[in-house]
Amino acid sequence: MDLTVIWAFIIAFAVFAYVVMDGFDLGIGILFPTLKVGQGRDRAMNSIAPVWDGNETWLVLGGGGLFAAFPLAYAVVLPATYPLIIAMLLGLVFRGVAFEYRWRDPAHRPFWDAAFFGGSLVAAMAQGMTLGALLQGVEVVDRAYAGSWFDWLTPYTLLCGLGVVAGYALLGSTWLIWKLDGGAQKHARWLALRAAIATIVLMGAVSLYNIFLNAEYAERWLTAPEIYFAAPVPIITAIIAVSMLRAIGMDRNSKPFWLSIALFLFGMLGLGVTMWPYVVPPGLTIWDAAAPERSQVFMLVGVAITMPLIIAYTAWAYWVFRGKVSDEGYH
């Protein structure tokens, strides 16, 4: 078996798990200004308070796995996106601090609410722009980043950033549909419908932009025989999108959230079709950037032990804190 391909799928799984799990956390932060001050915001935050920090485990696994399994890619991607990575980490810090301080410092709660919103928005935008910077291509010369400090700042990366912000807002609003009831749930449905429309439109815009962005991307999506393997992805994505819009409007509880996760899954599959086998387009494939085989084997043993444990304790945490959130929340 090709260990490099296995590691590519492990990291892809970790990234997907992070995007979905921390995505709805960040999405609630993005939607925070639209929630009612007081009980509305308190219940929304209590719905994620027991799990938000555990969700970030997947970010560590994805970043650490990239460093360990594909060190050359790590050494190229970070210098190409340093401002975005720094902005993302600062946003996550502000978001994390706001979780605790807004409860323990009531006199300055408006400030911490603003920090929660701002940190979530900045982190989501930075993640989307990082993805866009990777997709649009990174200049590599002699196995090192050869671009400028601001190569990542283009209309395409801004579009990708907005797409991720809208997608996280969709995850956050559908999570609130599941976890809240009454007027708060009705408001979450109103938010979810608008976030869903924005996400679908921006996903379509990014997908069309990809075709004109790179001739190789266009070839994979528009020429035979590649089109026969790629075509099911947008078709199934469209079916999921329609089903999600119907579920939001049909008074379902958990179904909109699961369908929004499915939408992200097929969006990621579309990215896989677009990028494969490059880890840093257009010059570095996963085999170019891979660590030595012995290193991959050694790390794979560790992942085989730790990943099931991470999945198990994550599932247990969600099971323990299942159900609707009442006024008597986690805090």
Side-chain angles (χ1 to χ4, degrees):
M1 297 180 67
D2 191 331
L3 289 174
T4 302
V5 174
I6 292 173
W7 268 104
F9 278 97
I10 289 172
I11 293 173
F13 175 79
V15 170
F16 175 72
Y18 170 76
V19 166
V20 169
M21 292 185 185
D22 209 35
F24 69 79
D25 294 352
L26 294 171
I28 290 173
I30 292 166
L31 296 172
F32 220 55
T34 71
L35 303 178
K36 186 177 180 180
V37 176
Q39 187 184 58
R41 294 185 178 182
D42 292 348
R43 291 180 69 193
M45 187 165 276
N46 274 323
S47 73
I48 56 176
V51 297
W52 74 270
D53 47 353
N55 293 341
E56 293 190 345
T57 303
W58 298 102
L59 177 63
V60 176
L61 180 59
L66 182 67
F67 173 74
F70 301 100
L72 180 58
Y74 186 91
V76 170
V77 170
L78 256 68
T81 58
Y82 268 140
L84 294 173
I85 299 300
I86 292 169
M88 180 191 74
L89 294 176
L90 289 175
L92 293 175
V93 167
F94 270 88
R95 190 274 301 265
V97 171
F99 258 104
E100 302 302 329
Y101 274 75
R102 75 179 302 274
W103 300 102
R104 289 164 173 77
D105 185 20
H108 299 95
R109 185 164 292 178
F111 171 78
W112 296 116
D113 285 354
F116 183 57
F117 163 70
S120 300
L121 180 64
V122 168
M125 191 72 184
Q127 289 174 15
M129 293 183 71
T130 300
L131 172 64
L134 191 62
L135 283 167
Q136 75 181 2
V138 177
E139 185 178 353
V140 178
V141 176
D142 295 330
R143 298 168 63 86
Y145 176 60
S148 69
W149 184 254
F150 290 105
D151 280 2
W152 51 268
L153 184 58
T154 65
Y156 175 73
T157 61
L158 290 170
L159 183 66
C160 291
L162 291 174
V164 170
V165 169
Y168 284 177
L170 172 63
L171 288 170
S173 57
T174 53
W175 172 261
L176 292 178
I177 290 173
W178 189 8
K179 301 298 286 186
L180 303 182
D181 53 18
Q185 187 190 60
K186 184 177 180 180
H187 180 63
R189 290 189 188 280
W190 184 86
L191 293 172
L193 180 61
R194 283 146 185 80
I197 293 171
T199 301
I200 293 166
V201 170
L202 288 166
M203 282 183 69
V206 170
S207 299
L208 289 174
Y209 205 136
N210 283 342
I211 294 175
F212 299 99
L213 185 69
N214 187 306
E216 191 170 352
Y217 294 167
E219 183 178 349
R220 292 179 185 177
W221 285 102
L222 301 177
T223 61
E226 289 86 353
I227 191 172
Y228 303 125
F229 298 98
V233 174
I235 293 172
I236 297 174
T237 302
I239 294 172
I240 291 170
V242 172
S243 301
M244 181 182 63
L245 291 171
R246 290 186 61 190
I248 291 171
M250 291 177 64
D251 201 26
R252 304 290 186 180
N253 283 320
S254 63
K255 191 174 181 180
F257 180 68
W258 294 115
L259 287 171
S260 66
I261 289 177
L263 189 70
F264 266 79
L265 173 61
F266 277 86
M268 191 165 181
L269 289 175
L271 291 175
V273 172
T274 301
M275 291 181 61
W276 183 264
Y278 296 104
V279 65
V280 182
L284 290 179
T285 67
I286 58 173
W287 297 282
D288 295 329
E293 183 177 355
R294 288 187 178 182
S295 298
Q296 293 184 50
V297 171
F298 176 78
M299 294 182 296
L300 193 61
V301 174
V303 168
I305 296 171
T306 58
M307 184 174 283
L309 293 175
I310 295 171
I311 294 172
Y313 78 64
T314 300
W316 176 247
Y318 279 87
W319 174 256
V320 169
F321 292 98
R322 66 192 183 278
K324 298 287 186 180
V325 175
S326 65
D327 295 338
E328 296 294 329
Y330 179 76
H331 284 89

